[in-house]
Amino acid sequence: QWSEAAGLTGFKRLLGNGQSRLFEPEDYVYFSRLNPNHETVPGRPPAQAAMAAAGVLYNVDSFASAFFRRGAIKATLLTAPLGTSPTERDRLKTWWRRAFGGIGNAFATEVVSADVKPVTVGEGMESLSQSSLTQEKKADIATALGVPHSLLFSNAANYATAQQDDIHFYDKTMIPSFTRLAEILNEQLLEAQGYALEVRPDAMSIFQADENERAVSIQALVTAGLPLDLALEVLG
């Protein structure tokens, strides 16, 4: 339950049969994203931002499944002579579906009257295979979730860039997200019990490798005559 003036005011749990129960804000541990555009309303979740692109990919998969389910036949209009009765039209439609519908009738051959002309009005799988739409939408999802493209696509970067992207993934996406979660858990749950979560990303192997490289650089600078405090400042 939200108020733009007060923010979170409580929770309403639906129990079924038209019944519900109200809870105070402190009864739940609630995770919300910071919103740069509003002081009390939570920010938009990354998954919600990725839903538009994910919906396109879902419909692409649904189209492919339906295309083969109807026997790999493109959407087709059957033109009949003017004056054909509705009963005859329905009979023609039923015959067409029986003769060509379903994957079991794929590539089937039938003889039709010269008065009936199939007209293709839809697209087939070739329109999808020649399109960059799928790749673009996958990239949109990765961007919305903060995942570097080099982690998902083999042609996105060379080895050096991929290594740097690994660090950026943790540094710009994972660590800020987990730091936010840890702050919420500490504030709403753990501190009252005498516990706390600490975020120590520097202990991860990917950052240890970076620290080792900087340690070697420090040694080289100090050996060359640079004061230690200045060498530390130069290397961050």
Side-chain angles (χ1 to χ4, degrees):
Q1 305 293 303
W2 278 95
S3 164
E4 288 202 6
L8 179 66
T9 60
F11 296 91
K12 182 179 181 181
R13 182 177 180 185
L14 302 180
L15 304 176
N17 299 323
Q19 299 180 343
S20 62
R21 182 181 175 187
L22 297 178
F23 293 87
E24 296 298 322
E26 58 268 17
D27 291 334
Y28 281 87
V29 177
Y30 180 78
F31 300 90
S32 62
R33 293 182 62 85
L34 299 177
N35 188 346
N37 300 317
H38 204 283
E39 294 180 353
T40 60
V41 177
R44 189 181 187 189
Q48 185 179 355
M51 278 299 295
V56 173
L57 294 179
Y58 174 80
N59 286 318
V60 169
D61 288 342
S62 298
F63 172 85
S65 177
F67 178 73
F68 287 107
R69 189 165 55 246
R70 63 175 180 260
I73 298 294
K74 298 179 181 179
T76 304
L77 288 177
L78 295 179
T79 62
L82 188 64
T84 303
S85 66
T87 301
E88 288 297 323
R89 292 183 181 181
D90 291 340
R91 186 179 302 173
L92 178 61
K93 184 191 301 183
T94 301
W95 168 82
W96 178 267
R97 290 178 175 175
R98 185 177 64 251
F100 297 103
I103 192 63
N105 290 325
F107 313 111
T109 302
E110 288 285 344
V111 178
V112 299
S113 169
D115 294 332
V116 178
K117 298 180 180 179
V119 179
T120 301
V121 295
E123 296 292 340
M125 292 298 297
E126 70 278 357
S127 63
L128 297 180
S129 61
Q130 296 176 2
S131 173
S132 60
L133 177 65
T134 299
Q135 188 74 10
E136 291 175 357
K137 294 308 173 183
K138 289 179 180 179
D140 288 346
I141 293 173
T143 302
L145 298 180
V147 180
H149 295 179
S150 60
L151 297 183
L152 300 178
F153 311 117
S154 59
N155 60 343
N158 56 38
Y159 179 73
T161 304
Q163 279 189 314
Q164 192 63 37
D165 281 349
D166 286 345
I167 296 178
H168 287 170
F169 177 53
Y170 286 102
D171 197 35
K172 293 181 172 57
T173 300
M174 298 302 296
I175 293 174
S177 296
F178 184 74
T179 300
R180 172 67 176 162
L181 297 181
E183 291 174 351
I184 293 173
L185 281 171
N186 288 336
E187 179 183 351
Q188 299 184 23
L189 179 66
L190 297 178
E191 289 178 354
Q193 305 176 28
Y195 297 97
L197 280 176
E198 291 187 6
V199 182
R200 297 179 178 175
D202 54 318
M204 300 175 61
S205 60
I206 188 171
F207 291 105
Q208 283 293 311
D210 184 57
E211 290 297 322
N212 289 336
E213 292 177 1
R214 292 204 293 176
V216 173
S217 299
I218 287 177
Q219 182 180 10
L221 292 176
V222 172
T223 302
L226 200 66
L228 178 58
D229 56 349
L230 182 57
L232 292 172
E233 184 177 350
V234 168
L235 294 174

